């Protein structure tokens, strides 16, 4: 038991360290761009980042999540071969996405578009492709309980990204929007190279039939998880769409600046997700539902406590933090920041229940519930955004998180009751 606890502490330490490095990297890079770019350009950067996360979510849900929940049931050699096939699928998907981005860049050039740079779609596609490849190596490291490798991957990414800022400062230049996207992609490619060198994944020369069989295995749960990602992405970015339509890129810049301040409040959520989900999947297989739900309560308490304490400190210190950190263009965002703090607490509550539901492989239920939640969010974001501006649009996100929490809790209680009857 002591060895198990020690291993868990090492994994948690690696998960938190990995997320701290990742979040601080995004925070520092985003803060640099916030101060360096005009407000409209910073808004466009955040719109492109939202696109990146949305497209990257397809890889997360169809490939990486399925790799995590299906892997524990396979023998060691079969699991390594399975991981290698998943990597092949991700690289093929990344190649197709990059080809699409290049085509869109060519189309913009042919149309002589002046709205954005003609290279913009290709750069977003390149950054997204590098991002999803990097995420594979991070998730694989945690699945194999080698959290240190994940820390090294994100450490290499941070060094590469901030090396770009150091070079720009050295030559007296400021990164443009296009330069920021390019360096973001390069830094992720550097991380991929390191991740590939650390991963113990065999090189396969599989037949097309083997890849098709792997695809069918992933598709069983992946089709529902991917559908969930679509509706989740629509829900999670509803505020961006509404604010961009009502206010324009400058409004997106302000909600992004406020979210930047609140980011540490949700720091533990992706960190614990990388560590917790593989363990929850194994826990369900070995110990059953009752033990799984006990772990869920502990996770929710930890996440909510961290989010609430940070949010309280941020709001108390906001008059001193905002001018120093964000500059004078963003000093009127206190109401938006409050809304993001409420969202962070709601997200903490929902995440714990969401992870255990994924460990139960209830992907269809997740898709249905998230679909209704997305519809509610889109309606509320439009109505509240029209009435209260960006603050109302963000509040709709918090409401949808609590809606999902309530429905997932009902599903788990029903499952528990059915298990008790058997």
């Amino acid at each position: 038991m002591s060895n198990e606890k020690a291993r868990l502490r090492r994994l948690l330490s690696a998960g938190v360290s990995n997320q701290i490095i990742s979040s601080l990297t995004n925070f520092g890079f985003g803060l640099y761009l916030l101060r360096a770019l005009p407000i409209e350009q910073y808004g466009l950067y955040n719109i492109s980042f939202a696109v990146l996360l949305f497209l990257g979510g397809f890889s997360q849900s169809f490939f990486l999540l399925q790799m995590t929940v299906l892997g524990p049931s396979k023998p060691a050699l079969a699991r390594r071969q399975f991981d290698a096939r998943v990597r092949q699928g991700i690289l093929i998907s990344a190649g197709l996405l990059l080809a699409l981005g290049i085509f869109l860049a060519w189309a913009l050039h042919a149309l002589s578009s002046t709205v954005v740079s003609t290279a913009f779609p290709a750069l977003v596609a390149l950054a997204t492709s590098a991002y999803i490849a990097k995420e594979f190596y991070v998730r694989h490291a945690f699945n194999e309980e080698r959290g240190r490798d994940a820390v090294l991957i994100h450490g290499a990414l941070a060094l590469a990204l901030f090396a770009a800022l150091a070079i720009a400062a050295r030559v007296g230049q400021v990164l443009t929007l296009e330069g920021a996207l390019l360096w973001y992609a390069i830094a992720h490619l550097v991380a991929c190279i390191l991740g590939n060198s650390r991963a113990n994944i065999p090189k396969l020369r599989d037949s097309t039939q083997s890849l098709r069989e792997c695809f069918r295995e992933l598709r069983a749960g992946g089709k529902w998880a991917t559908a969930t990602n679509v509706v989740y992405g629509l829900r999670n970015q509803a505020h961006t769409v509404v604010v961009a339509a009502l206010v324009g890129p400058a409004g997106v810049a302000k909600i992004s600046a406020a979210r930047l301040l609140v980011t540490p409040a949700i720091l533990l959520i992706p960190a614990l997700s990388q560590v917790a989900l593989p363990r929850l999947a194994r826990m369900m297989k070995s110990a059953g539902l009752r033990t799984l739900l006990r772990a869920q309560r502990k996770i929710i308490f930890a996440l909510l406590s961290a989010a609430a304490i940070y949010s309280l400190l941020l709001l108390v210190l906001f008059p001193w933090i905002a001018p120093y950190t964000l500059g004078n263009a963003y000093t009127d965002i206190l109401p938006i920041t409050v809304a993001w703090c409420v969202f962070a607490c709601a997200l903490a509550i929902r995440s714990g229940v969401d992870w255990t539901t994924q460990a139960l492989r209830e992907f269809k239920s997740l898709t249905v519930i998230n679909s209704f939640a997305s519809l509610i969010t889109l309606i509320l974001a439009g109505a509240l955004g029209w009435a209260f501006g960006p603050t109302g649009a963000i509040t709709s996100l918090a409401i949808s998180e609590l809606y999902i929490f309530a429905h997932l809790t009902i599903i788990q209680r029903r499952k528990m009751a059915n298990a008790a009857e058997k």
Side-chain angles (χ1 to χ4, degrees):
M1 183 63 70
S2 59
N3 290 337
E4 175 68 17
K5 290 182 177 179
R7 188 166 75 250
L8 178 58
R9 282 196 296 269
R10 287 194 298 270
L11 280 171
L12 288 174
S13 176
V16 172
S17 299
N18 171 71
Q19 191 57 42
I20 288 175
I21 294 172
S22 176
S23 293
L24 287 180
T25 301
N26 285 328
F27 179 83
F29 192 60
L31 189 59
Y32 168 86
L33 295 177
L34 183 147
R35 303 298 293 265
L37 296 177
I39 189 169
E40 291 81 7
Q41 290 286 297
Y42 182 66
L44 285 174
Y45 170 78
N46 282 281
I47 290 172
S48 68
F49 195 73
V51 171
L52 178 148
L53 292 179
F54 179 74
L55 295 177
F58 285 93
S59 171
Q60 290 276 1
S61 55
F62 189 87
F63 292 106
L64 303 187
L65 176 57
Q66 304 312 308
M67 180 178 72
T68 298
V69 298
L70 295 173
S73 62
K74 297 179 180 294
L77 178 59
R79 187 175 67 248
R80 292 178 64 225
Q81 293 174 335
F82 179 63
D83 293 346
R85 295 186 184 107
V86 171
R87 180 176 63 179
Q88 285 181 306
I90 285 178
L91 293 178
I92 291 171
S93 300
L96 293 174
L97 176 61
L98 186 57
L100 176 61
I102 293 172
F103 171 77
L104 291 176
W106 172 83
L108 280 177
H109 179 75
L111 294 173
S112 301
S113 173
T114 58
V115 179
V116 295
S117 166
T118 54
F120 189 71
L123 291 171
V124 173
L126 177 62
T128 304
S129 299
Y131 167 79
I132 63 177
K134 181 267 300 181
E135 284 296 295
F136 167 81
Y137 291 110
V138 172
R139 180 64 70 97
H140 179 266
F142 279 112
N143 287 355
E144 296 298 311
E145 298 192 353
R146 296 202 308 269
R148 182 183 177 188
D149 287 354
V151 174
L152 291 175
I153 290 168
H154 273 128
L157 190 158
L159 288 175
L161 198 57
F162 289 116
L165 302 185
I167 293 171
R170 181 70 176 177
V171 300
Q173 297 292 324
V174 176
L175 285 184
T176 62
L177 173 62
E178 292 77 14
L181 291 171
L182 178 60
W183 274 109
Y184 189 86
I186 291 173
H188 278 72
L189 290 173
V190 170
C192 287
I193 293 172
L194 176 62
N196 187 66
S197 69
R198 302 286 298 183
N200 185 26
I201 301 176
K203 294 182 179 179
L204 297 178
R205 296 181 177 178
D206 273 351
S207 63
T208 304
Q209 181 62 29
S210 297
L211 289 176
R212 286 178 179 172
E213 290 175 0
C214 178
F215 181 83
R216 281 195 293 268
E217 187 175 6
L218 295 172
R219 187 177 59 186
K223 62 185 178 183
W224 295 110
T226 302
T228 300
N229 171 73
V230 172
V231 295
Y232 179 80
L234 292 174
R235 185 179 82 247
N236 203 37
Q237 298 304 329
H239 66 285
T240 301
V241 175
V242 169
V243 172
L246 294 176
V247 187
V252 175
K254 289 189 175 183
I255 63 173
S256 300
R259 183 164 193 168
L260 201 63
L261 291 178
V262 181
T263 294
I266 56 178
L267 186 66
L268 278 176
I269 293 177
L272 281 178
S273 174
Q274 299 278 14
V275 176
L277 189 53
R279 293 185 65 84
L280 291 172
R282 289 193 291 269
M283 185 181 296
M284 180 59 197
K285 180 178 176 60
S286 61
L289 180 59
R290 190 177 296 277
T291 302
L292 187 71
L293 296 183
R294 281 200 296 268
Q296 174 184 280
R297 289 192 290 270
K298 294 178 182 179
I299 290 171
I300 292 175
F301 178 78
L303 294 178
L304 181 58
S305 297
I309 291 170
Y310 177 85
S311 296
L312 181 61
L313 290 174
L314 172 64
L315 296 178
V316 170
L317 299 175
F318 183 86
W320 294 274
I321 293 175
Y324 178 77
T325 305
L326 305 179
N328 295 329
Y330 299 93
T331 54
D332 59 343
I333 61 172
L334 177 58
I336 302 175
T337 305
V338 172
W340 276 125
C341 288
V342 173
F343 166 77
C345 293
L347 177 65
I349 295 171
R350 190 269 301 168
S351 294
V353 182
D354 196 307
W355 299 345
T356 51
T357 307
Q358 290 180 36
L360 292 169
R361 303 186 188 182
E362 290 284 344
F363 297 114
K364 183 176 180 179
S365 298
L366 283 168
T367 300
V368 173
I369 293 170
N370 275 277
S371 297
F372 280 108
S374 295
L375 180 61
I376 291 171
T377 305
L378 289 170
I379 294 172
L380 287 178
L384 296 178
W386 180 268
F388 304 105
T391 303
I394 296 166
T395 301
S396 68
L397 296 178
I399 294 172
S400 71
E401 295 294 330
L402 295 176
Y403 170 85
I404 294 171
F405 164 77
H407 278 262
L408 292 182
T409 300
I410 292 171
I411 288 175
Q412 291 183 354
R413 288 180 177 176
R414 288 175 180 171
K415 203 170 186 68
M416 192 70 183
N418 291 337
E421 292 175 358
K422 292 181 179 179

